[in-house]
Amino acid sequence: MAYHVLPDLVIHDDDIVVTYIHASGPGGQNVNKVATAAQIRFDAARCATLTSRLRARLRLLAGSRMTRDGVVILTAQRFRSQSRNREDAIERLLDLLRQAAHVPTRRIATRPSRTQRRRRMDDKSRRARIKQGRGRPTAE
């Protein structure tokens, strides 16, 4: 099975390793018997469909969820069933990849015009005069 992150980016099922672990938190007697939490591992360093720029942005976005070897590890335990936790973890991985694929537009540095600077200074001096007029009257 293949997951379509973007029209030109496809992640194959072979690239994702799913293991099931015991979920933490409340769950009664069932929590110690059934491994419902899904932990997925995505080896971004060895994935052929990712570009080097995408890998770099993914490393920044993933943060501590990515190991030194370039493996993204996500754990999902919101739901009580293995299948829903697996789907949740995969969806979170795909969202992370979509965020990494989005290239932010670069900001172009601009300077305020001379008129804007003059208007700002005039407003500041006007405001200062208003505040100076609020003091106690002097005894003359």
Side-chain angles (χ1 to χ4, degrees), residues 96-119:
L96 190 65
L97 288 170
R98 284 185 198 105
Q99 286 177 6
H102 174 70
V103 180
T105 55
R106 295 190 59 106
R107 181 187 179 278
I108 300 170
T110 58
R111 290 177 56 190
S113 68
R114 184 180 297 150
T115 310
Q116 287 175 327
R117 288 193 302 252
R118 186 177 295 133
R119 186 181 306 138

Side-chain angles (χ1 to χ4, degrees), residues 21-22 37-40 73-78 85 88-89 92:
I21 56 176
H22 287 287
Q39 186 178 64
I40 63 169
I73 302 172
L74 295 174
T75 304
Q77 57 184 10
R78 276 197 305 179
N85 280 330
D88 182 41
R92 284 173 38 207

